[in-house]
mmCIF file with all atom_site columns, all heavy atoms in Angstrom:
data_model
loop_
_atom_site.group_PDB
_atom_site.id
_atom_site.type_symbol
_atom_site.label_atom_id
_atom_site.label_alt_id
_atom_site.label_comp_id
_atom_site.label_asym_id
_atom_site.label_entity_id
_atom_site.label_seq_id
_atom_site.pdbx_PDB_ins_code
_atom_site.Cartn_x
_atom_site.Cartn_y
_atom_site.Cartn_z
_atom_site.occupancy
_atom_site.B_iso_or_equiv
_atom_site.pdbx_formal_charge
_atom_site.auth_seq_id
_atom_site.auth_comp_id
_atom_site.auth_asym_id
_atom_site.auth_atom_id
_atom_site.pdbx_PDB_model_num
ATOM 1   N N   . PRO Q 1 1  ? -4.303  -14.500 12.286  1.00 0.00 ? 1  PRO Q N   1
ATOM 2   C CA  . PRO Q 1 1  ? -4.349  -13.453 13.313  1.00 0.00 ? 1  PRO Q CA  1
ATOM 3   C C   . PRO Q 1 1  ? -5.095  -12.229 12.801  1.00 0.00 ? 1  PRO Q C   1
ATOM 4   O O   . PRO Q 1 1  ? -5.067  -11.919 11.603  1.00 0.00 ? 1  PRO Q O   1
ATOM 5   C CB  . PRO Q 1 1  ? -2.870  -13.142 13.566  1.00 0.00 ? 1  PRO Q CB  1
ATOM 6   C CG  . PRO Q 1 1  ? -2.157  -13.590 12.326  1.00 0.00 ? 1  PRO Q CG  1
ATOM 7   C CD  . PRO Q 1 1  ? -2.930  -14.763 11.816  1.00 0.00 ? 1  PRO Q CD  1
ATOM 8   N N   . ARG Q 1 2  ? -5.769  -11.532 13.695  1.00 0.00 ? 2  ARG Q N   1
ATOM 9   C CA  . ARG Q 1 2  ? -6.540  -10.350 13.324  1.00 0.00 ? 2  ARG Q CA  1
ATOM 10  C C   . ARG Q 1 2  ? -5.626  -9.122  13.238  1.00 0.00 ? 2  ARG Q C   1
ATOM 11  O O   . ARG Q 1 2  ? -4.542  -9.084  13.835  1.00 0.00 ? 2  ARG Q O   1
ATOM 12  C CB  . ARG Q 1 2  ? -7.642  -10.102 14.357  1.00 0.00 ? 2  ARG Q CB  1
ATOM 13  C CG  . ARG Q 1 2  ? -8.574  -11.280 14.551  1.00 0.00 ? 2  ARG Q CG  1
ATOM 14  C CD  . ARG Q 1 2  ? -9.470  -11.503 13.353  1.00 0.00 ? 2  ARG Q CD  1
ATOM 15  N NE  . ARG Q 1 2  ? -10.458 -10.441 13.213  1.00 0.00 ? 2  ARG Q NE  1
ATOM 16  C CZ  . ARG Q 1 2  ? -11.274 -10.306 12.165  1.00 0.00 ? 2  ARG Q CZ  1
ATOM 17  N NH1 . ARG Q 1 2  ? -11.196 -11.175 11.161  1.00 0.00 ? 2  ARG Q NH1 1
ATOM 18  N NH2 . ARG Q 1 2  ? -12.149 -9.333  12.111  1.00 0.00 ? 2  ARG Q NH2 1
ATOM 19  N N   . PRO Q 1 3  ? -6.037  -8.089  12.512  1.00 0.00 ? 3  PRO Q N   1
ATOM 20  C CA  . PRO Q 1 3  ? -5.196  -6.891  12.379  1.00 0.00 ? 3  PRO Q CA  1
ATOM 21  C C   . PRO Q 1 3  ? -4.853  -6.214  13.706  1.00 0.00 ? 3  PRO Q C   1
ATOM 22  O O   . PRO Q 1 3  ? -3.822  -5.540  13.803  1.00 0.00 ? 3  PRO Q O   1
ATOM 23  C CB  . PRO Q 1 3  ? -6.047  -5.974  11.499  1.00 0.00 ? 3  PRO Q CB  1
ATOM 24  C CG  . PRO Q 1 3  ? -6.914  -6.897  10.709  1.00 0.00 ? 3  PRO Q CG  1
ATOM 25  C CD  . PRO Q 1 3  ? -7.228  -8.029  11.638  1.00 0.00 ? 3  PRO Q CD  1
ATOM 26  N N   . ASP Q 1 4  ? -5.703  -6.378  14.728  1.00 0.00 ? 4  ASP Q N   1
ATOM 27  C CA  . ASP Q 1 4  ? -5.420  -5.739  16.011  1.00 0.00 ? 4  ASP Q CA  1
ATOM 28  C C   . ASP Q 1 4  ? -4.555  -6.599  16.928  1.00 0.00 ? 4  ASP Q C   1
ATOM 29  O O   . ASP Q 1 4  ? -4.320  -6.242  18.088  1.00 0.00 ? 4  ASP Q O   1
ATOM 30  C CB  . ASP Q 1 4  ? -6.718  -5.360  16.728  1.00 0.00 ? 4  ASP Q CB  1
ATOM 31  C CG  . ASP Q 1 4  ? -7.647  -6.558  16.954  1.00 0.00 ? 4  ASP Q CG  1
ATOM 32  O OD1 . ASP Q 1 4  ? -7.282  -7.681  16.555  1.00 0.00 ? 4  ASP Q OD1 1
ATOM 33  O OD2 . ASP Q 1 4  ? -8.742  -6.352  17.521  1.00 0.00 ? 4  ASP Q OD2 1
ATOM 34  N N   . ASP Q 1 5  ? -4.045  -7.712  16.428  1.00 0.00 ? 5  ASP Q N   1
ATOM 35  C CA  . ASP Q 1 5  ? -3.154  -8.550  17.218  1.00 0.00 ? 5  ASP Q CA  1
ATOM 36  C C   . ASP Q 1 5  ? -1.882  -7.769  17.548  1.00 0.00 ? 5  ASP Q C   1
ATOM 37  O O   . ASP Q 1 5  ? -1.343  -7.039  16.716  1.00 0.00 ? 5  ASP Q O   1
ATOM 38  C CB  . ASP Q 1 5  ? -2.806  -9.817  16.426  1.00 0.00 ? 5  ASP Q CB  1
ATOM 39  C CG  . ASP Q 1 5  ? -2.153  -10.885 17.288  1.00 0.00 ? 5  ASP Q CG  1
ATOM 40  O OD1 . ASP Q 1 5  ? -1.073  -10.619 17.842  1.00 0.00 ? 5  ASP Q OD1 1
ATOM 41  O OD2 . ASP Q 1 5  ? -2.721  -11.987 17.397  1.00 0.00 ? 5  ASP Q OD2 1
ATOM 42  N N   . ALA Q 1 6  ? -1.368  -7.947  18.759  1.00 0.00 ? 6  ALA Q N   1
ATOM 43  C CA  . ALA Q 1 6  ? -0.193  -7.199  19.224  1.00 0.00 ? 6  ALA Q CA  1
ATOM 44  C C   . ALA Q 1 6  ? 1.044   -7.444  18.367  1.00 0.00 ? 6  ALA Q C   1
ATOM 45  O O   . ALA Q 1 6  ? 1.941   -6.588  18.319  1.00 0.00 ? 6  ALA Q O   1
ATOM 46  C CB  . ALA Q 1 6  ? 0.099   -7.558  20.679  1.00 0.00 ? 6  ALA Q CB  1
ATOM 47  N N   . VAL Q 1 7  ? 1.115   -8.577  17.652  1.00 0.00 ? 7  VAL Q N   1
ATOM 48  C CA  . VAL Q 1 7  ? 2.313   -8.855  16.842  1.00 0.00 ? 7  VAL Q CA  1
ATOM 49  C C   . VAL Q 1 7  ? 2.465   -7.874  15.688  1.00 0.00 ? 7  VAL Q C   1
ATOM 50  O O   . VAL Q 1 7  ? 3.560   -7.725  15.135  1.00 0.00 ? 7  VAL Q O   1
ATOM 51  C CB  . VAL Q 1 7  ? 2.306   -10.296 16.291  1.00 0.00 ? 7  VAL Q CB  1
ATOM 52  C CG1 . VAL Q 1 7  ? 2.300   -11.307 17.416  1.00 0.00 ? 7  VAL Q CG1 1
ATOM 53  C CG2 . VAL Q 1 7  ? 1.142   -10.536 15.353  1.00 0.00 ? 7  VAL Q CG2 1
ATOM 54  N N   . PHE Q 1 8  ? 1.380   -7.183  15.322  1.00 0.00 ? 8  PHE Q N   1
ATOM 55  C CA  . PHE Q 1 8  ? 1.438   -6.233  14.210  1.00 0.00 ? 8  PHE Q CA  1
ATOM 56  C C   . PHE Q 1 8  ? 1.591   -4.783  14.669  1.00 0.00 ? 8  PHE Q C   1
ATOM 57  O O   . PHE Q 1 8  ? 1.558   -3.863  13.843  1.00 0.00 ? 8  PHE Q O   1
ATOM 58  C CB  . PHE Q 1 8  ? 0.170   -6.346  13.357  1.00 0.00 ? 8  PHE Q CB  1
ATOM 59  C CG  . PHE Q 1 8  ? -0.081  -7.726  12.801  1.00 0.00 ? 8  PHE Q CG  1
ATOM 60  C CD1 . PHE Q 1 8  ? -1.244  -8.411  13.113  1.00 0.00 ? 8  PHE Q CD1 1
ATOM 61  C CD2 . PHE Q 1 8  ? 0.849   -8.342  11.978  1.00 0.00 ? 8  PHE Q CD2 1
ATOM 62  C CE1 . PHE Q 1 8  ? -1.489  -9.675  12.615  1.00 0.00 ? 8  PHE Q CE1 1
ATOM 63  C CE2 . PHE Q 1 8  ? 0.619   -9.613  11.474  1.00 0.00 ? 8  PHE Q CE2 1
ATOM 64  C CZ  . PHE Q 1 8  ? -0.545  -10.281 11.790  1.00 0.00 ? 8  PHE Q CZ  1
ATOM 65  N N   . ALA Q 1 9  ? 1.771   -4.560  15.956  1.00 0.00 ? 9  ALA Q N   1
ATOM 66  C CA  . ALA Q 1 9  ? 1.746   -3.199  16.498  1.00 0.00 ? 9  ALA Q CA  1
ATOM 67  C C   . ALA Q 1 9  ? 2.833   -2.304  15.913  1.00 0.00 ? 9  ALA Q C   1
ATOM 68  O O   . ALA Q 1 9  ? 2.638   -1.099  15.750  1.00 0.00 ? 9  ALA Q O   1
ATOM 69  C CB  . ALA Q 1 9  ? 1.862   -3.249  18.020  1.00 0.00 ? 9  ALA Q CB  1
ATOM 70  N N   . ASN Q 1 10 ? 3.970   -2.865  15.584  1.00 0.00 ? 10 ASN Q N   1
ATOM 71  C CA  . ASN Q 1 10 ? 5.100   -2.058  15.122  1.00 0.00 ? 10 ASN Q CA  1
ATOM 72  C C   . ASN Q 1 10 ? 5.324   -2.179  13.615  1.00 0.00 ? 10 ASN Q C   1
ATOM 73  O O   . ASN Q 1 10 ? 6.412   -1.899  13.120  1.00 0.00 ? 10 ASN Q O   1
ATOM 74  C CB  . ASN Q 1 10 ? 6.374   -2.479  15.874  1.00 0.00 ? 10 ASN Q CB  1
ATOM 75  C CG  . ASN Q 1 10 ? 7.474   -1.445  15.774  1.00 0.00 ? 10 ASN Q CG  1
ATOM 76  O OD1 . ASN Q 1 10 ? 7.205   -0.244  15.669  1.00 0.00 ? 10 ASN Q OD1 1
ATOM 77  N ND2 . ASN Q 1 10 ? 8.716   -1.898  15.797  1.00 0.00 ? 10 ASN Q ND2 1
ATOM 78  N N   . HIS Q 1 11 ? 4.277   -2.585  12.909  1.00 0.00 ? 11 HIS Q N   1
ATOM 79  C CA  . HIS Q 1 11 ? 4.418   -2.810  11.474  1.00 0.00 ? 11 HIS Q CA  1
ATOM 80  C C   . HIS Q 1 11 ? 3.931   -1.603  10.672  1.00 0.00 ? 11 HIS Q C   1
ATOM 81  O O   . HIS Q 1 11 ? 3.116   -0.808  11.140  1.00 0.00 ? 11 HIS Q O   1
ATOM 82  C CB  . HIS Q 1 11 ? 3.633   -4.053  11.055  1.00 0.00 ? 11 HIS Q CB  1
ATOM 83  C CG  . HIS Q 1 11 ? 4.205   -5.322  11.613  1.00 0.00 ? 11 HIS Q CG  1
ATOM 84  N ND1 . HIS Q 1 11 ? 3.837   -6.563  11.163  1.00 0.00 ? 11 HIS Q ND1 1
ATOM 85  C CD2 . HIS Q 1 11 ? 5.130   -5.552  12.579  1.00 0.00 ? 11 HIS Q CD2 1
ATOM 86  C CE1 . HIS Q 1 11 ? 4.500   -7.492  11.838  1.00 0.00 ? 11 HIS Q CE1 1
ATOM 87  N NE2 . HIS Q 1 11 ? 5.278   -6.899  12.705  1.00 0.00 ? 11 HIS Q NE2 1
ATOM 88  N N   . GLU Q 1 12 ? 4.434   -1.509  9.443   1.00 0.00 ? 12 GLU Q N   1
ATOM 89  C CA  . GLU Q 1 12 ? 4.046   -0.414  8.552   1.00 0.00 ? 12 GLU Q CA  1
ATOM 90  C C   . GLU Q 1 12 ? 3.814   -0.971  7.152   1.00 0.00 ? 12 GLU Q C   1
ATOM 91  O O   . GLU Q 1 12 ? 4.542   -1.868  6.705   1.00 0.00 ? 12 GLU Q O   1
ATOM 92  C CB  . GLU Q 1 12 ? 5.146   0.652   8.522   1.00 0.00 ? 12 GLU Q CB  1
ATOM 93  C CG  . GLU Q 1 12 ? 4.796   1.885   7.716   1.00 0.00 ? 12 GLU Q CG  1
ATOM 94  C CD  . GLU Q 1 12 ? 5.881   2.960   7.780   1.00 0.00 ? 12 GLU Q CD  1
ATOM 95  O OE1 . GLU Q 1 12 ? 6.841   2.778   8.553   1.00 0.00 ? 12 GLU Q OE1 1
ATOM 96  O OE2 . GLU Q 1 12 ? 5.756   3.958   7.055   1.00 0.00 ? 12 GLU Q OE2 1
ATOM 97  N N   . VAL Q 1 13 ? 2.813   -0.439  6.464   1.00 0.00 ? 13 VAL Q N   1
ATOM 98  C CA  . VAL Q 1 13 ? 2.467   -0.885  5.113   1.00 0.00 ? 13 VAL Q CA  1
ATOM 99  C C   . VAL Q 1 13 ? 2.377   0.334   4.202   1.00 0.00 ? 13 VAL Q C   1
ATOM 100 O O   . VAL Q 1 13 ? 1.694   1.311   4.527   1.00 0.00 ? 13 VAL Q O   1
ATOM 101 C CB  . VAL Q 1 13 ? 1.125   -1.643  5.096   1.00 0.00 ? 13 VAL Q CB  1
ATOM 102 C CG1 . VAL Q 1 13 ? 0.814   -2.124  3.678   1.00 0.00 ? 13 VAL Q CG1 1
ATOM 103 C CG2 . VAL Q 1 13 ? 1.155   -2.828  6.046   1.00 0.00 ? 13 VAL Q CG2 1
ATOM 104 N N   . ARG Q 1 14 ? 3.071   0.272   3.073   1.00 0.00 ? 14 ARG Q N   1
ATOM 105 C CA  . ARG Q 1 14 ? 3.040   1.370   2.109   1.00 0.00 ? 14 ARG Q CA  1
ATOM 106 C C   . ARG Q 1 14 ? 2.773   0.811   0.711   1.00 0.00 ? 14 ARG Q C   1
ATOM 107 O O   . ARG Q 1 14 ? 3.456   -0.122  0.270   1.00 0.00 ? 14 ARG Q O   1
ATOM 108 C CB  . ARG Q 1 14 ? 4.365   2.133   2.092   1.00 0.00 ? 14 ARG Q CB  1
ATOM 109 C CG  . ARG Q 1 14 ? 4.825   2.656   3.446   1.00 0.00 ? 14 ARG Q CG  1
ATOM 110 C CD  . ARG Q 1 14 ? 6.178   3.328   3.309   1.00 0.00 ? 14 ARG Q CD  1
ATOM 111 N NE  . ARG Q 1 14 ? 6.764   3.645   4.606   1.00 0.00 ? 14 ARG Q NE  1
ATOM 112 C CZ  . ARG Q 1 14 ? 7.983   4.153   4.770   1.00 0.00 ? 14 ARG Q CZ  1
ATOM 113 N NH1 . ARG Q 1 14 ? 8.752   4.377   3.709   1.00 0.00 ? 14 ARG Q NH1 1
ATOM 114 N NH2 . ARG Q 1 14 ? 8.442   4.414   5.979   1.00 0.00 ? 14 ARG Q NH2 1
ATOM 115 N N   . VAL Q 1 15 ? 1.813   1.381   0.007   1.00 0.00 ? 15 VAL Q N   1
ATOM 116 C CA  . VAL Q 1 15 ? 1.591   1.067   -1.402  1.00 0.00 ? 15 VAL Q CA  1
ATOM 117 C C   . VAL Q 1 15 ? 2.475   1.998   -2.216  1.00 0.00 ? 15 VAL Q C   1
ATOM 118 O O   . VAL Q 1 15 ? 2.293   3.223   -2.188  1.00 0.00 ? 15 VAL Q O   1
ATOM 119 C CB  . VAL Q 1 15 ? 0.114   1.229   -1.792  1.00 0.00 ? 15 VAL Q CB  1
ATOM 120 C CG1 . VAL Q 1 15 ? -0.067  1.009   -3.302  1.00 0.00 ? 15 VAL Q CG1 1
ATOM 121 C CG2 . VAL Q 1 15 ? -0.750  0.252   -1.014  1.00 0.00 ? 15 VAL Q CG2 1
ATOM 122 N N   . ILE Q 1 16 ? 3.460   1.454   -2.933  1.00 0.00 ? 16 ILE Q N   1
ATOM 123 C CA  . ILE Q 1 16 ? 4.472   2.277   -3.591  1.00 0.00 ? 16 ILE Q CA  1
ATOM 124 C C   . ILE Q 1 16 ? 4.234   2.448   -5.089  1.00 0.00 ? 16 ILE Q C   1
ATOM 125 O O   . ILE Q 1 16 ? 4.860   3.305   -5.722  1.00 0.00 ? 16 ILE Q O   1
ATOM 126 C CB  . ILE Q 1 16 ? 5.877   1.709   -3.351  1.00 0.00 ? 16 ILE Q CB  1
ATOM 127 C CG1 . ILE Q 1 16 ? 6.017   0.315   -3.962  1.00 0.00 ? 16 ILE Q CG1 1
ATOM 128 C CG2 . ILE Q 1 16 ? 6.181   1.676   -1.852  1.00 0.00 ? 16 ILE Q CG2 1
ATOM 129 C CD1 . ILE Q 1 16 ? 7.443   -0.229  -3.928  1.00 0.00 ? 16 ILE Q CD1 1
ATOM 130 N N   . ALA Q 1 17 ? 3.347   1.651   -5.663  1.00 0.00 ? 17 ALA Q N   1
ATOM 131 C CA  . ALA Q 1 17 ? 2.996   1.793   -7.084  1.00 0.00 ? 17 ALA Q CA  1
ATOM 132 C C   . ALA Q 1 17 ? 1.627   1.184   -7.288  1.00 0.00 ? 17 ALA Q C   1
ATOM 133 O O   . ALA Q 1 17 ? 1.238   0.253   -6.588  1.00 0.00 ? 17 ALA Q O   1
ATOM 134 C CB  . ALA Q 1 17 ? 4.024   1.118   -7.989  1.00 0.00 ? 17 ALA Q CB  1
ATOM 135 N N   . SER Q 1 18 ? 0.893   1.734   -8.283  1.00 0.00 ? 18 SER Q N   1
ATOM 136 C CA  . SER Q 1 18 ? -0.473  1.265   -8.504  1.00 0.00 ? 18 SER Q CA  1
ATOM 137 C C   . SER Q 1 18 ? -0.906  1.564   -9.928  1.00 0.00 ? 18 SER Q C   1
ATOM 138 O O   . SER Q 1 18 ? -0.250  2.318   -10.660 1.00 0.00 ? 18 SER Q O   1
ATOM 139 C CB  . SER Q 1 18 ? -1.436  1.958   -7.530  1.00 0.00 ? 18 SER Q CB  1
ATOM 140 O OG  . SER Q 1 18 ? -1.520  3.342   -7.830  1.00 0.00 ? 18 SER Q OG  1
ATOM 141 N N   . ALA Q 1 19 ? -2.043  1.000   -10.296 1.00 0.00 ? 19 ALA Q N   1
ATOM 142 C CA  . ALA Q 1 19 ? -2.589  1.212   -11.640 1.00 0.00 ? 19 ALA Q CA  1
ATOM 143 C C   . ALA Q 1 19 ? -2.915  2.674   -11.886 1.00 0.00 ? 19 ALA Q C   1
ATOM 144 O O   . ALA Q 1 19 ? -2.761  3.178   -13.005 1.00 0.00 ? 19 ALA Q O   1
ATOM 145 C CB  . ALA Q 1 19 ? -3.828  0.347   -11.835 1.00 0.00 ? 19 ALA Q CB  1
ATOM 146 N N   . ALA Q 1 20 ? -3.372  3.376   -10.858 1.00 0.00 ? 20 ALA Q N   1
ATOM 147 C CA  . ALA Q 1 20 ? -3.755  4.781   -11.031 1.00 0.00 ? 20 ALA Q CA  1
ATOM 148 C C   . ALA Q 1 20 ? -2.582  5.607   -11.549 1.00 0.00 ? 20 ALA Q C   1
ATOM 149 O O   . ALA Q 1 20 ? -2.717  6.395   -12.498 1.00 0.00 ? 20 ALA Q O   1
ATOM 150 C CB  . ALA Q 1 20 ? -4.271  5.353   -9.713  1.00 0.00 ? 20 ALA Q CB  1
ATOM 151 N N   . LEU Q 1 21 ? -1.404  5.434   -10.938 1.00 0.00 ? 21 LEU Q N   1
ATOM 152 C CA  . LEU Q 1 21 ? -0.226  6.195   -11.354 1.00 0.00 ? 21 LEU Q CA  1
ATOM 153 C C   . LEU Q 1 21 ? 0.192   5.839   -12.774 1.00 0.00 ? 21 LEU Q C   1
ATOM 154 O O   . LEU Q 1 21 ? 0.586   6.708   -13.561 1.00 0.00 ? 21 LEU Q O   1
ATOM 155 C CB  . LEU Q 1 21 ? 0.922   5.943   -10.383 1.00 0.00 ? 21 LEU Q CB  1
ATOM 156 C CG  . LEU Q 1 21 ? 0.697   6.397   -8.937  1.00 0.00 ? 21 LEU Q CG  1
ATOM 157 C CD1 . LEU Q 1 21 ? 1.858   5.961   -8.051  1.00 0.00 ? 21 LEU Q CD1 1
ATOM 158 C CD2 . LEU Q 1 21 ? 0.520   7.912   -8.874  1.00 0.00 ? 21 LEU Q CD2 1
ATOM 159 N N   . SER Q 1 22 ? 0.076   4.558   -13.118 1.00 0.00 ? 22 SER Q N   1
ATOM 160 C CA  . SER Q 1 22 ? 0.479   4.120   -14.457 1.00 0.00 ? 22 SER Q CA  1
ATOM 161 C C   . SER Q 1 22 ? -0.476  4.639   -15.533 1.00 0.00 ? 22 SER Q C   1
ATOM 162 O O   . SER Q 1 22 ? -0.041  5.069   -16.610 1.00 0.00 ? 22 SER Q O   1
ATOM 163 C CB  . SER Q 1 22 ? 0.554   2.591   -14.504 1.00 0.00 ? 22 SER Q CB  1
ATOM 164 O OG  . SER Q 1 22 ? 1.633   2.123   -13.715 1.00 0.00 ? 22 SER Q OG  1
ATOM 165 N N   . LEU Q 1 23 ? -1.766  4.619   -15.262 1.00 0.00 ? 23 LEU Q N   1
ATOM 166 C CA  . LEU Q 1 23 ? -2.729  5.156   -16.226 1.00 0.00 ? 23 LEU Q CA  1
ATOM 167 C C   . LEU Q 1 23 ? -2.547  6.661   -16.393 1.00 0.00 ? 23 LEU Q C   1
ATOM 168 O O   . LEU Q 1 23 ? -2.677  7.194   -17.507 1.00 0.00 ? 23 LEU Q O   1
ATOM 169 C CB  . LEU Q 1 23 ? -4.152  4.834   -15.781 1.00 0.00 ? 23 LEU Q CB  1
ATOM 170 C CG  . LEU Q 1 23 ? -4.563  3.361   -15.841 1.00 0.00 ? 23 LEU Q CG  1
ATOM 171 C CD1 . LEU Q 1 23 ? -5.962  3.177   -15.270 1.00 0.00 ? 23 LEU Q CD1 1
ATOM 172 C CD2 . LEU Q 1 23 ? -4.503  2.824   -17.269 1.00 0.00 ? 23 LEU Q CD2 1
ATOM 173 N N   . GLU Q 1 24 ? -2.264  7.362   -15.304 1.00 0.00 ? 24 GLU Q N   1
ATOM 174 C CA  . GLU Q 1 24 ? -2.035  8.808   -15.391 1.00 0.00 ? 24 GLU Q CA  1
ATOM 175 C C   . GLU Q 1 24 ? -0.810  9.114   -16.241 1.00 0.00 ? 24 GLU Q C   1
ATOM 176 O O   . GLU Q 1 24 ? -0.795  10.099  -17.010 1.00 0.00 ? 24 GLU Q O   1
ATOM 177 C CB  . GLU Q 1 24 ? -1.880  9.392   -13.992 1.00 0.00 ? 24 GLU Q CB  1
ATOM 178 C CG  . GLU Q 1 24 ? -3.183  9.434   -13.211 1.00 0.00 ? 24 GLU Q CG  1
ATOM 179 C CD  . GLU Q 1 24 ? -2.979  9.654   -11.720 1.00 0.00 ? 24 GLU Q CD  1
ATOM 180 O OE1 . GLU Q 1 24 ? -1.818  9.895   -11.306 1.00 0.00 ? 24 GLU Q OE1 1
ATOM 181 O OE2 . GLU Q 1 24 ? -3.967  9.567   -10.969 1.00 0.00 ? 24 GLU Q OE2 1
ATOM 182 N N   . ALA Q 1 25 ? 0.227   8.286   -16.148 1.00 0.00 ? 25 ALA Q N   1
ATOM 183 C CA  . ALA Q 1 25 ? 1.422   8.489   -16.974 1.00 0.00 ? 25 ALA Q CA  1
ATOM 184 C C   . ALA Q 1 25 ? 1.109   8.287   -18.449 1.00 0.00 ? 25 ALA Q C   1
ATOM 185 O O   . ALA Q 1 25 ? 1.562   9.058   -19.314 1.00 0.00 ? 25 ALA Q O   1
ATOM 186 C CB  . ALA Q 1 25 ? 2.529   7.539   -16.525 1.00 0.00 ? 25 ALA Q CB  1
ATOM 187 N N   . ALA Q 1 26 ? 0.321   7.255   -18.760 1.00 0.00 ? 26 ALA Q N   1
ATOM 188 C CA  . ALA Q 1 26 ? -0.069  7.014   -20.153 1.00 0.00 ? 26 ALA Q CA  1
ATOM 189 C C   . ALA Q 1 26 ? -0.932  8.158   -20.672 1.00 0.00 ? 26 ALA Q C   1
ATOM 190 O O   . ALA Q 1 26 ? -0.786  8.591   -21.825 1.00 0.00 ? 26 ALA Q O   1
ATOM 191 C CB  . ALA Q 1 26 ? -0.815  5.685   -20.259 1.00 0.00 ? 26 ALA Q CB  1
ATOM 192 N N   . ALA Q 1 27 ? -1.840  8.650   -19.849 1.00 0.00 ? 27 ALA Q N   1
ATOM 193 C CA  . ALA Q 1 27 ? -2.694  9.766   -20.255 1.00 0.00 ? 27 ALA Q CA  1
ATOM 194 C C   . ALA Q 1 27 ? -1.865  11.006  -20.552 1.00 0.00 ? 27 ALA Q C   1
ATOM 195 O O   . ALA Q 1 27 ? -2.132  11.735  -21.522 1.00 0.00 ? 27 ALA Q O   1
ATOM 196 C CB  . ALA Q 1 27 ? -3.723  10.056  -19.163 1.00 0.00 ? 27 ALA Q CB  1
ATOM 197 N N   . ALA Q 1 28 ? -0.846  11.261  -19.744 1.00 0.00 ? 28 ALA Q N   1
ATOM 198 C CA  . ALA Q 1 28 ? 0.009   12.430  -19.954 1.00 0.00 ? 28 ALA Q CA  1
ATOM 199 C C   . ALA Q 1 28 ? 0.752   12.326  -21.282 1.00 0.00 ? 28 ALA Q C   1
ATOM 200 O O   . ALA Q 1 28 ? 0.896   13.320  -22.009 1.00 0.00 ? 28 ALA Q O   1
ATOM 201 C CB  . ALA Q 1 28 ? 0.990   12.565  -18.799 1.00 0.00 ? 28 ALA Q CB  1
ATOM 202 N N   . LEU Q 1 29 ? 1.231   11.118  -21.623 1.00 0.00 ? 29 LEU Q N   1
ATOM 203 C CA  . LEU Q 1 29 ? 1.910   10.934  -22.906 1.00 0.00 ? 29 LEU Q CA  1
ATOM 204 C C   . LEU Q 1 29 ? 0.953   11.203  -24.056 1.00 0.00 ? 29 LEU Q C   1
ATOM 205 O O   . LEU Q 1 29 ? 1.302   11.877  -25.039 1.00 0.00 ? 29 LEU Q O   1
ATOM 206 C CB  . LEU Q 1 29 ? 2.466   9.514   -23.005 1.00 0.00 ? 29 LEU Q CB  1
ATOM 207 C CG  . LEU Q 1 29 ? 3.070   9.150   -24.371 1.00 0.00 ? 29 LEU Q CG  1
ATOM 208 C CD1 . LEU Q 1 29 ? 4.283   10.017  -24.679 1.00 0.00 ? 29 LEU Q CD1 1
ATOM 209 C CD2 . LEU Q 1 29 ? 3.454   7.669   -24.418 1.00 0.00 ? 29 LEU Q CD2 1
ATOM 210 N N   . SER Q 1 30 ? -0.261  10.690  -23.959 1.00 0.00 ? 30 SER Q N   1
ATOM 211 C CA  . SER Q 1 30 ? -1.248  10.901  -25.014 1.00 0.00 ? 30 SER Q CA  1
ATOM 212 C C   . SER Q 1 30 ? -1.545  12.387  -25.198 1.00 0.00 ? 30 SER Q C   1
ATOM 213 O O   . SER Q 1 30 ? -1.602  12.888  -26.336 1.00 0.00 ? 30 SER Q O   1
ATOM 214 C CB  . SER Q 1 30 ? -2.525  10.133  -24.689 1.00 0.00 ? 30 SER Q CB  1
ATOM 215 O OG  . SER Q 1 30 ? -3.460  10.226  -25.754 1.00 0.00 ? 30 SER Q OG  1
#
């Protein structure tokens, strides 16, 4: 199904963790 299909109308997507945040944490420790 395509992203504009009506079955996805009430859905939500959140990225809650990523490489960027983890690298920034390592950089702060350094």
Side-chain angles (χ1 to χ4, degrees):
R2 304 290 291 172
D4 57 0
D5 193 299
V7 299
F8 303 120
N10 197 30
H11 293 193
E12 185 176 354
V13 181
R14 305 177 190 175
V15 175
I16 63 172
S18 67
L21 297 174
S22 291
L23 291 176
E24 288 164 6
L29 174 64
S30 185

